Amino acid sequence: MTGRTVLYLALASVLGLMTLVLVVVMPAVDDGCEGSSVLGSSSVLPPLGGYAPGDSRVAATTSAARTTGNPTVTKTDLTATQANPTATGAPSLAAGIGPIRRTLPLAVGTFTVSDVFGARGGTHLGVDLAATDGTTIYSVSDGRVVAAGPASGFGNWIVVDSVDTNGRAYSAVYGHMWDSGVHVHVGDTVVAGQPIAQVGSAGQSSGPHLHFEIVPGGRFTGGRQIDPLPWLDGAPTPDVGGAQAFSSDPRCNRGFGTAGGALAAGKVPQELEIWYRRAGSICPQITPSLLAAQGRQESGFRRSASSPAGAQGLAQFLPGTAASIDPDDGKPYVIDADGNGVASVWDDGDAIMGQGRYMCAIARKIVAWESEGRVQGDVVALTLAAYNAGEGAVLASGGMPNLVAAHYAETQPYVANILAMEPLYRAQGSNGRFTPQEGAGRGQIVQAAQQWLGTPYVWGGGGPQGPSGGGLDGPGLTSAAVFAASSGTVTLPRTAEQQWEAGIEVPMRKLEPGDLVFSSFGPRGPAEVGIYSGNGRMIKSVPAAYGHSSGVTEVAVPGDGRGRRVL
């Protein structure tokens, strides 16, 4: 054996050992998308598979749910005609070793399958269960409500985020309920078999039925729909991408399990995303996208930012405000959210969670003051104003601060700027409304406008962010619909006269759905604007002076109308 051969054998032995080490060691390396559940250790969710029979926590969970006005209903609580037996299925290895805790969304014998997954050329991403109007809808699993209310196409929907026995995240989606048929709210915790809604026929529906979807990876967090019928029968939840429920990495959880899915990906520095998502799920009035827009206005996302007035950090907290006590839990607004042992306005998590805590505390005060008739105005706008000028300024003004020059020069522009920026940080469709489809064209402007049918007319109301002050005026509606339909790429100016300068004019005989229709022309241009919906009709926000009920409605195209194409 030559020296060269010995050398080669030695090198081969070393490479073999390295390979063995890699094979043995690499699987043991912690996965960045594994860790603690973002549903939180203090969650009242039962463990996967439910508590063992006789566990005292069963009663505690039921009591906690009833305290929130959201009673837990188990199979034994239901009458024979309401009983909704758990769908059974032998768990596979992929599904874990625990029982699969799933129930049917409608009681056996109360429904028929009227349309299957993948119908309509593959565009039907759920299953339709036809049932009598008012039939009880049950949560199919334990989870947390992340959307409940109006939704484009669905009329109304409910989205519940859950974690399967294999630790995989998924959402259950329930659609077409009437307004009166939605019985849960965002943030509620539900358990399998709990009544959450009633069958209706709202939205794009030809008769009473439940549209039901299962979305592994999360409806708001990058998941994709699967056929729900095999899943209900016990099939494991597949890994199709999207959120990872058990993760401390913001790239993996993306706000899953909270209302925090409303933040558009990539719009804020990556390390801040998880904090805006979490802070934006504390209360329903304050969303992640609003906090992100506010952070951009306050500090430009600069951790070291300081103002001449002494405001500090990402959220520009004054030291006294940071240390003030949140009346809801008796703790300072800025707490040690990141767990490094120090509560500091200079830490990302502490500052942003403090921002969310303080904004939610203000919002609750505004809601109370409005119920007492002490202030008037949009809750979100007034909350922003109070963050800038102080709560006392809002209360003393009876609404938007207007007592000193700084209120006009600083506070009111501050509020307007943040509300204008908020849509840029909001994931399209994240609020359960219109979701644009790539390449679908200007007809989507009509679909976007339809989500606001019935919204009150408010002079000066609306813009890219949607309704404001409780409603929309004409240009507010067109601005909101075009912004949504273009996925945030087209922002129309505020007035009808200014919008007339956008796009190109088209002859009325060549109007297509989604074109804008302008009317009531004067020396400065048109005073009114709406959205052509086809067949000589248009969607428009009209005041009561028109001789019929005010608000967003469909009306005939006026005789002096002129068309313009902006998308």
Side-chain angles (χ1 to χ4, degrees), residues 241-242 298 387 444:
E298 289 282 359
Y387 193 96
Q444 291 192 113

Side-chain angles (χ1 to χ4, degrees), residues 298-548:
E298 289 282 359
S299 65
F301 305 124
R302 292 182 295 114
R303 297 175 178 82
S304 59
S306 296
S307 76
Q312 302 171 331
L314 285 168
Q316 287 293 276
F317 267 110
L318 291 170
T321 304
S324 296
I325 301 301
D326 186 336
D328 292 315
D329 62 12
K331 299 178 181 178
Y333 288 118
V334 175
I335 59 176
D336 179 21
D338 57 14
N340 67 358
V342 178
S344 172
V345 296
W346 304 109
D347 291 345
D348 295 351
D350 298 359
I352 294 172
M353 289 299 290
Q355 177 190 357
R357 285 165 55 81
Y358 185 37
M359 285 285 285
C360 284
I362 296 172
R364 284 187 280 268
K365 289 184 181 179
I366 300 294
V367 170
W369 290 342
E370 288 196 339
S371 67
E372 297 165 0
R374 302 172 72 183
V375 302
Q376 291 182 323
D378 181 72
V379 171
V380 172
L382 295 183
T383 301
L384 289 168
Y387 193 96
N388 177 264
E391 302 157 33
V394 172
L395 186 57
S397 302
M400 186 61 63
N402 57 9
L403 300 178
V404 297
H407 292 162
Y408 293 95
E410 180 183 340
T411 301
Q412 293 186 20
Y414 170 89
V415 173
N417 288 344
I418 293 172
L419 292 179
M421 286 192 293
E422 184 272 334
L424 302 177
Y425 295 95
R426 186 199 319 149
Q428 291 296 317
S430 62
N431 291 334
R433 294 183 178 273
F434 167 79
T435 303
Q437 302 297 316
E438 186 176 353
R442 70 184 64 89
Q444 291 192 113
I445 299 177
V446 177
Q447 298 172 31
Q450 288 172 338
Q451 68 185 304
W452 290 300
L453 286 171
T455 300
Y457 176 90
V458 173
W459 185 82
Q465 78 278 2
S468 63
L472 297 157
D473 64 8
L477 169 65
T478 52
S479 178
V482 170
F483 185 89
S486 67
S487 296
T489 61
V490 178
T491 302
L492 294 179
R494 182 63 193 85
T495 67
E497 293 93 336
Q498 293 169 325
Q499 290 182 8
W500 174 249
E501 302 298 324
I504 59 172
E505 186 170 5
V506 294
M508 293 298 287
R509 67 180 184 279
K510 295 185 176 180
L511 277 184
E512 295 180 4
D515 289 333
L516 303 189
V517 177
F518 295 83
S519 59
S520 300
F521 284 81
R524 298 176 56 186
E528 300 177 13
V529 62
I531 298 162
Y532 185 64
S533 55
N535 299 318
R537 308 282 290 177
M538 62 186 289
I539 298 175
K540 187 176 182 180
S541 186
V542 296
Y546 275 70
H548 44 69

Side-chain angles (χ1 to χ4, degrees), residues 44-52 55 57 61 99 101 142 163 165:
V44 296
L45 284 177
L48 294 169
Y51 295 120
D55 193 309
R57 289 173 294 180
T61 302
R101 185 174 168 80
D142 305 338
V163 180
T165 51

Side-chain angles (χ1 to χ4, degrees), residues 226-252:
I226 61 170
D227 188 344
L229 292 183
W231 184 90
L232 285 170
D233 198 36
T237 307
D239 183 1
V240 297
Q244 301 291 321
F246 295 97
S247 175
S248 57
D249 187 332
R251 294 169 299 177
C252 306

Side-chain angles (χ1 to χ4, degrees), residues 94-195:
I97 60 173
I100 296 179
R101 185 174 168 80
R102 303 170 187 165
T103 67
L104 296 176
L106 299 174
V108 174
T110 65
F111 68 91
T112 58
V113 177
S114 56
D115 208 353
V116 298
F117 180 83
R120 309 171 203 171
T123 63
H124 191 237
L125 300 179
V127 61
D128 287 349
L129 307 177
T132 303
D133 198 318
T135 299
T136 299
I137 299 171
Y138 303 91
S139 178
V140 299
S141 57
D142 305 338
R144 181 162 294 129
V145 179
V146 295
S152 177
F154 290 108
N156 287 286
W157 75 351
I158 294 170
V159 181
V160 177
D161 278 357
S162 302
V163 180
D164 207 343
T165 51
N166 60 4
R168 289 178 179 165
Y170 67 91
S171 299
V173 180
Y174 311 79
H176 295 305
M177 293 79 68
W178 303 115
D179 291 351
S180 60
V182 177
H183 301 320
V184 292
H185 302 87
V186 171
D188 285 351
T189 295
V190 296
V191 296
Q194 176 178 327

